[in-house]
Amino acid sequence: MSNSYLVGIPLMLIELTIGQRFRGSPLHSFGRASKYAWGIGASMAFASLYTSLYYNSVLSYGFIYFFNSFTNILPWTTCPQGATTCGLVGNKTDPATYYLKEIIQNKASNFEDDGGIQWPLYFATSVAWIIVFLIMLNGVKSIGKVVYFTALFPYVVLTILLVIGITQDGAIDGLKYLFNPDFNYVWRPKVDPTCPNKTLSVFMENNSAGNGLVFVAMAQAVVKLGSGGSAIFLSIMFYLMIICLGVDSSIGMLEGYLSVLYDLFHSLNLKVNRKTAERLILTVSIIFSMIFALVFCGRHGDYWIGIFDKYGSVHNLVLIGFFEYIFVSHVYGMGKFCGDFHLMTGYKPNILLQILWGYISPIFLFCVAIAMVAVDFTEDKLFTYKDVNQKIQDFPYYVLAISLFLLLSGFLWIPLGTVLACFKSFNFGEPDGDVHKEVRYLKASSFSSVEQILFCHQFTHDLETFSSNQEPKVNSAYVVDTF
């Protein structure tokens, strides 16, 4: 929760403002903001690509649980006949763990073990990709209509679960445990993935832990909260909620790199209908993703998901977020950015938000990055993995090479873009439309002396008064220079 207020929400506001102000993909928006910053957008696109490739394979678990909820007896409530271990956790059998690990994943012992495709898992992954494709096929209009349901339905399910939960025996003890947290966990640097907002402020939680929570702990909880038909109903509702949340996130991550491809294609000025071109790019990308999903749906799939999650997503996202803060606050300029924020929303960012953007959030992210590296080294987690028996194993050489490629290709665009911009200028075009002409009745505001000292504001950002039938006159503080 604290991560959201300190890092997630401020970063989301940065990305929304930059995106709306410069009206392009991450690459083009940051490139238009400054010729030295396009590498941030490129890194964001690669991080979106790597996350998008594996994300629907994790979402496929939700589809499998949803489909298998339409039965008289939920399949993760009992151990199958002939099972010798049945998901042993300590000395107790755990049918939910057995169902996930043995039935759905059928995970190989290690990378050297024989592979093979889990076809039910691949079928569910394909269904997820097809649903995402159909939603995105008609562009923003169809996405907006679907989001009304996918964004609101989870609140209905969570309300139902809350009402049922607080009526259970021991609910008071559970609430006490909830509101008396163990602060020792604050110092454990794990990240949080795929928050429902679609920014790259996405701090990703360890993948296997996430699977254990949603597909083991919640599967058990659904059974305990209900019995017979009510358990089946709760299971259907809960995993439909997971699908809704997952589809929302999947669309956001896909748009993160597709928008770059769209803008790059349109910059070629080919005589092709815009909508037709975008549909073609979408179709090719979905087909490629469905084929690539075979990697994540095999017996080694869970290992590969962990690798793409850690080296292609989590580590890169922390670094990208840090450099976004540094760019906006200390390169682009806090004053200029606050002017853009005011221009977009009509509100002047308060001093607390500016302090978060300029100091607290980047320092926090820097500490998280250092802590993550320290934990990797001290706990031998760097370029290693845990096999099915939880023993730490070194990556095979080809896995090590792929992990390094994911990490470097996601991050190196930032310094590379800065260096290249010193020798060559890239044309990222101009934003569509004139944003100044679309602004109406923004109230004048100025920075206090405290803000001017803290953030080196050297000018005010007052919009000159204008009537509705006049073209707005904007002072020079709003003009975006090319550095």
Side-chain angles (χ1 to χ4, degrees):
M1 182 67 74
S2 60
N3 289 354
S4 296
Y5 290 112
L6 290 177
V7 178
I9 293 175
L11 192 54
M12 178 188 71
L13 293 175
I14 285 177
E15 292 174 357
L16 288 175
T17 302
I18 292 290
Q20 186 176 350
R21 174 65 181 86
F22 296 102
R23 303 189 178 194
S25 67
L27 175 68
H28 290 73
S29 292
F30 277 92
R32 290 166 183 170
S34 168
K35 67 178 183 178
Y36 297 107
W38 65 267
I40 296 176
S43 291
M44 293 169 73
F46 274 90
S48 293
L49 169 64
Y50 297 147
T51 308
S52 177
L53 285 174
Y54 77 79
Y55 185 74
N56 274 0
S57 296
V58 178
L59 179 59
S60 66
Y61 297 173
F63 279 95
I64 289 177
Y65 276 77
F66 175 72
F67 294 148
N68 286 310
S69 296
F70 292 91
T71 57
N72 293 327
I73 300 176
L74 296 175
W76 51 86
T77 58
T78 57
C79 297
Q81 292 182 353
T84 54
T85 57
C86 194
L88 280 176
V89 177
N91 295 321
K92 297 181 179 179
T93 58
D94 184 1
T97 300
Y98 179 87
Y99 184 76
L100 174 64
K101 301 295 184 183
E102 303 295 333
I103 304 299
I104 295 180
Q105 292 179 331
N106 190 21
K107 191 173 178 178
S109 299
N110 50 49
F111 270 111
E112 283 71 36
D113 197 6
D114 292 336
I117 304 299
Q118 294 293 100
W119 291 110
L121 196 58
Y122 183 69
F123 173 77
T125 302
S126 300
V127 170
W129 276 118
I130 291 170
I131 290 174
V132 170
F133 172 73
L134 293 175
I135 292 172
M136 296 183 66
L137 189 60
N138 289 321
V140 175
K141 290 184 179 179
S142 61
I143 293 173
K145 293 175 182 177
V146 171
V147 166
Y148 274 114
F149 175 75
T150 57
L152 297 177
F153 178 72
Y155 290 101
V156 176
V157 177
L158 291 174
T159 302
I160 293 172
L161 291 175
L162 174 64
V163 172
I164 294 174
I166 61 177
T167 59
Q168 301 295 307
D169 294 336
I172 300 299
D173 295 332
L175 290 173
K176 288 179 179 178
Y177 184 82
L178 173 65
F179 291 106
N180 289 280
D182 183 353
F183 287 98
N184 291 325
Y185 285 89
V186 172
W187 306 107
R188 300 186 184 183
K190 288 193 177 181
V191 234
D192 181 19
T194 57
C195 45
N197 66 54
K198 308 309 179 299
T199 71
L200 280 177
S201 47
V202 241
F203 287 97
M204 309 215 35
E205 189 178 355
N206 177 274
N207 178 64
S208 59
N211 285 348
L213 173 63
V214 176
F215 302 114
V216 175
M218 284 306 301
Q220 295 168 332
V222 163
V223 175
K224 291 179 180 179
L225 287 174
S227 59
S230 60
I232 293 171
F233 171 76
L234 287 175
S235 181
I236 292 171
M237 295 288 283
F238 177 76
Y239 288 108
L240 181 58
M241 178 190 76
I242 294 298
I243 291 171
C244 289
L245 292 172
V247 167
D248 264 3
S249 297
S250 181
I251 291 171
M253 286 179 284
L254 197 59
E255 283 283 6
Y257 75 89
L258 281 183
S259 59
V260 175
L261 298 180
Y262 294 158
D263 283 358
L264 288 174
F265 182 85
H266 296 318
S267 66
L268 299 176
N269 295 320
L270 299 178
K271 294 182 179 179
V272 180
N273 180 271
R274 186 184 185 95
K275 182 172 287 188
T276 302
E278 291 184 357
R279 284 180 173 179
L280 179 61
I281 294 171
L282 172 65
T283 302
V284 172
S285 299
I286 294 291
I287 292 173
F288 169 76
S289 299
M290 289 177 67
I291 295 172
F292 201 89
L294 290 168
V295 173
F296 305 115
C297 295
R299 296 189 65 220
H300 298 129
D302 198 51
Y303 298 127
W304 284 115
I305 288 173
I307 289 167
F308 271 72
D309 177 56
K310 182 174 183 177
Y311 300 105
S313 181
V314 172
H315 283 60
N316 282 324
L317 290 174
V318 172
L319 294 171
I320 292 167
F322 171 75
F323 281 103
E324 282 187 74
Y325 280 120
I326 296 300
F327 167 72
V328 163
S329 304
H330 306 291
V331 179
Y332 185 71
M334 183 67 78
K336 190 182 294 185
F337 180 75
C338 289
D340 290 341
F341 188 93
H342 185 197
L343 192 65
M344 296 299 103
T345 65
Y347 298 96
K348 184 173 77 73
N350 60 47
I351 190 169
L352 176 59
L353 193 53
Q354 294 180 55
I355 291 172
L356 284 171
W357 283 334
Y359 302 101
I360 296 176
S361 297
I363 291 173
F364 183 87
L365 268 186
F366 181 77
C367 292
V368 168
I370 296 298
M372 288 172 61
V373 174
V375 168
D376 281 347
F377 275 106
T378 56
E379 298 184 9
D380 197 20
K381 291 183 177 180
L382 191 64
F383 302 118
T384 61
Y385 71 101
K386 287 184 178 180
D387 63 18
V388 76
N389 297 315
Q390 299 301 301
K391 293 182 179 179
I392 295 178
Q393 305 280 355
D394 291 328
F395 281 162
Y397 290 118
Y398 71 95
V399 178
L400 176 61
I402 292 172
S403 302
L404 284 170
F405 174 79
L406 292 173
L407 182 63
L408 297 177
S409 64
F411 166 71
L412 285 182
W413 289 105
I414 297 175
L416 182 63
T418 303
V419 172
L420 288 178
C422 295
F423 302 98
K424 179 178 175 59
S425 295
F426 297 92
N427 181 16
F428 293 102
E430 296 295 329
D432 294 334
D434 187 342
V435 67
H436 299 291
K437 291 182 179 180
E438 298 171 13
V439 179
R440 290 293 182 266
Y441 305 115
L442 296 186
K443 296 180 180 178
S445 62
S446 60
F447 292 103
S448 67
S449 57
V450 175
E451 292 170 308
Q452 292 181 37
I453 294 171
L454 279 174
F455 305 106
C456 304
H457 296 317
Q458 297 179 353
F459 40 72
T460 61
H461 289 265
D462 296 331
L463 284 176
E464 295 183 10
T465 321
F466 60 90
S467 62
S468 59
N469 60 353
Q470 292 177 322
E471 182 176 330
K473 298 179 180 179
V474 185
N475 68 22
S476 59
Y478 283 112
V479 179
V480 179
D481 300 323
T482 302
F483 295 98

